[in-house]
């Protein structure tokens, strides 16, 4: 891999995602899970300054020592930081200052990447690039939440990833997979995250899994049948979530003059019935599966079956809790905080979405979120 070329491509794409924004859009944090876009731009820059340049580039001049406090996300090893809920309260540094910070670091990285590097440094830089691609997807979803909760429903006017025209036309058949011992996890020499390791064997029973994702129209049938009002389909925690938050539809859906609309990156539009369902929680995914007399696949079933169906339009909820694979071990230092510390109280999602950066998905990729979250591009594939 040409690291310098890849570095420039990834860094430029983050800025492309932000181009349609007004300055005011950069600073909003409507909920704890959504970070202001300017924070993403600063945090991804902080990563390269903190883990690459400061410890490895001779005579590197830190842009501003206070930025370590502002842009550290969750790395206890690196020091104290602004708590997540307060990221939207910071009027300073300004958007202009953060882009100056970005130019400063990029100029130093461009120089640094033209010199011979150790394998360890190359791997750390590649991790940093994949980390930034994760934040590119978060940028897209956070921007959508910021604009989608504005009463004007302003369109975003920029295609951040794959085509938005992801209409399903195939039949709704189920693939059958026979009982057996299968190998799970990443195998190869290219990049993967540590939570995809180590490769190991699992025993799967006979199962079937849908060729297609659940569509908006299919989920609307669940709603019309009173799915959000019948506790029988819900986990107890999910039912409490529905009642406490008055949930009666997926995120971004609005019932206006007798019709359902949803907010998209192109603005408020009528629900496309044959488009894959999006922005639902694990609770909703599980309740829908229960209503259909089915279930969600485990992440292991998904990984084996996904070799036979198309995936990548939605992050797909699975029945699997986010736990370490056999032989998993955390790296030393701050990098070891990257995945392992989150292996509790979260569900695994598989696949990718229409806002996942190109080249940033694998059949072994393990995404993970708390079961109530739905601001990501999350959908449902049924199993039985």
């Amino acid at each position: 891999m040409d690291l310098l070329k890849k570095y420039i491509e990834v860094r430029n794409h983050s800025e492309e995602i932000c181009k349609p924004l007004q300055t005011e859009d950069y600073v909003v944090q409507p909920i704890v899970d959504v970070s202001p876009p300017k924070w993403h731009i600063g945090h991804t820059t902080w990563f390269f300054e903190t883990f690459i340049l400061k410890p490895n580039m001779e005579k590197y001049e830190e842009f501003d020592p206070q930025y370590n406090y502002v842009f550290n996300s969750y790395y206890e090893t690196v020091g104290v930081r602004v708590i997540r809920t307060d990221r939207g309260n910071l009027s300073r540094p300004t958007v202009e200052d953060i882009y100056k910070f970005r130019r400063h670091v990029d100029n130093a990285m461009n120089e640094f990447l033209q010199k011979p590097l150790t394998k360890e440094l190359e791997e750390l830089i590649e991790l940093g690039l994949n980390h930034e691609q994760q934040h590119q997807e978060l940028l897209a979803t956070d921007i959508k939440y910021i604009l989608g909760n504005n009463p004007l429903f302003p369109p975003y006017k920029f295609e951040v990833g794959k085509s938005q025209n992801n209409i399903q036309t195939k039949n709704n058949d189920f693939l059958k997979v026979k009982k057996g011992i299968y190998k799970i996890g990443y195998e190869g020499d290219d990049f993967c995250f540590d939570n995809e390791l180590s490769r190991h064997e699992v025993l799967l029973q006979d199962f079937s899994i849908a060729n297609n994702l659940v569509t908006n129209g299919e989920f609307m049938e669940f709603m019309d049948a009173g799915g959000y009002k019948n506790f029988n389909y819900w986990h107890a925690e999910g039912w409490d979530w529905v009642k406490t938050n008055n949930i009666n539809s997926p995120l971004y859906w609005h019932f206006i003059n007798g019709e359902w609309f949803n907010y998209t990156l192109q603005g408020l539009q009528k629900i496309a019935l044959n488009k894959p369902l999006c922005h639902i929680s694990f609770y909703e995914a599980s309740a829908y599966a229960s209503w259909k007399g089915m279930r969600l696949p485990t992440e292991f079933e998904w990984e084996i079956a996904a070799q036979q169906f198309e995936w990548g339009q939605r992050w797909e909820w699975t029945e699997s809790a986010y736990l370490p694979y056999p032989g998993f071990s955390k790296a030393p230092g701050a990098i070891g905080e990257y995945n392992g510390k989150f292996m509790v109280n979260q569900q695994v999602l598989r696949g990718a979405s229409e806002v996942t950066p190109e080249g940033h998905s694998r059949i072994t990729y393990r995404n993970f979120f708390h079961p109530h979250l739905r601001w990501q591009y999350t959908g449902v594939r049924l199993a039985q």
Side-chain angles (χ1 to χ4, degrees), residues 17-262:
I17 292 171
C18 293
K19 271 189 175 179
L21 300 181
Q22 300 297 318
T23 302
E24 292 81 359
D25 298 324
Y26 275 94
V27 300
V28 181
Q29 184 180 22
I31 57 173
V32 62
D33 303 297
V34 170
S35 294
K38 76 171 190 176
W39 185 89
H40 287 291
I41 294 297
H43 169 70
T44 51
T45 301
W46 167 88
F47 185 100
F48 288 105
E49 181 179 67
T50 301
F51 296 119
I52 306 298
L53 295 174
K54 285 167 64 174
N56 297 293
M57 186 177 188
E58 188 177 356
K59 297 181 180 179
Y60 174 74
E61 293 186 12
E62 188 174 9
F63 184 80
D64 187 329
Q66 296 184 86
Y67 281 15
N68 189 68
Y69 178 72
V70 175
F71 294 120
N72 181 6
S73 54
Y74 53 72
Y75 297 92
E76 301 287 350
T77 307
V78 181
V80 294
R81 61 203 178 277
V82 173
I83 61 173
R84 188 176 183 182
T85 52
D86 286 351
R87 291 173 185 171
N89 295 335
L90 301 174
S91 60
R92 306 296 175 92
T94 64
V95 174
E96 183 180 0
D97 289 337
I98 292 170
Y99 274 108
K100 287 179 181 177
F101 173 41
R102 198 169 175 91
R103 296 286 85 77
H104 177 84
V105 169
D106 284 348
N107 288 338
M109 284 295 297
N110 287 344
E111 179 184 340
F112 185 75
L113 289 171
Q114 295 182 55
K115 299 177 181 179
L117 302 175
T118 64
K119 182 180 179 182
E120 182 181 29
L121 265 176
E122 288 181 348
E123 291 175 348
L124 186 55
I125 292 167
E126 191 170 11
L127 174 64
L129 295 174
N130 278 271
H131 165 261
E132 180 141 355
Q133 287 179 308
Q134 288 181 313
H135 278 272
Q136 288 168 355
E137 184 157 11
L138 288 168
L139 261 172
T141 51
D142 289 0
I143 289 168
K144 183 174 183 179
Y145 195 94
I146 289 167
L147 299 180
N149 282 273
N150 183 308
L152 301 179
F153 298 121
Y156 171 64
K157 298 179 181 177
F158 181 75
E159 189 170 307
V160 297
K162 305 175 185 68
S163 170
Q164 305 292 308
N165 187 30
N166 46 14
I167 302 296
Q168 296 190 154
T169 56
K170 295 193 306 182
N171 59 34
N172 232 355
D173 288 344
F174 278 70
L175 296 169
K176 295 183 178 180
V177 180
K178 291 183 177 292
K179 174 181 177 180
I181 296 175
Y182 296 90
K183 289 188 175 180
I184 296 294
Y186 184 78
E187 182 178 42
D189 298 323
D190 294 330
F191 176 84
C192 75
F193 287 109
D194 59 359
N195 65 358
E196 299 171 59
L197 301 171
S198 61
R199 190 166 172 83
H200 61 287
E201 293 181 342
V202 298
L203 171 64
L204 299 180
Q205 303 297 322
D206 292 339
F207 71 94
S208 299
I209 189 168
N211 265 319
N212 279 340
L213 295 166
V214 172
T215 64
N216 291 328
E218 290 170 328
F219 195 79
M220 205 175 286
E221 294 174 5
F222 167 74
M223 294 165 58
D224 291 342
Y228 280 102
K229 299 176 181 178
N230 190 334
F231 71 89
N232 286 292
Y233 305 128
W234 298 81
H235 290 103
E237 191 174 281
W239 186 238
D240 288 342
W241 173 78
V242 166
K243 293 188 295 181
T244 300
N245 298 283
N246 297 315
I247 305 295
N248 61 12
S249 66
L251 183 64
Y252 299 124
W253 285 35
H254 302 274
F255 196 65
I256 303 172
N257 296 328
E259 291 187 272
W260 281 104
F261 292 75
N262 69 330

Side-chain angles (χ1 to χ4, degrees), residues 246-312:
N246 297 315
I247 305 295
N248 61 12
S249 66
L251 183 64
Y252 299 124
W253 285 35
H254 302 274
F255 196 65
I256 303 172
N257 296 328
E259 291 187 272
W260 281 104
F261 292 75
N262 69 330
Y263 178 78
T264 73
L265 292 178
Q266 289 73 46
L268 196 65
Q269 299 183 348
K270 286 186 179 181
I271 298 288
L273 297 181
N274 57 341
K275 227 180 166 180
L277 175 67
C278 199
H279 296 299
I280 63 163
S281 66
F282 169 78
Y283 298 140
E284 292 164 291
S286 182
Y288 176 83
S290 177
W291 176 72
K292 292 290 287 186
M294 300 184 199
R295 62 177 175 83
L296 303 179
T298 68
E299 65 165 317
F300 308 129
E301 291 172 335
W302 188 97
E303 185 172 321
I304 296 305
Q307 300 171 45
Q308 301 180 60
F309 59 70
E310 293 182 9
W311 55 271

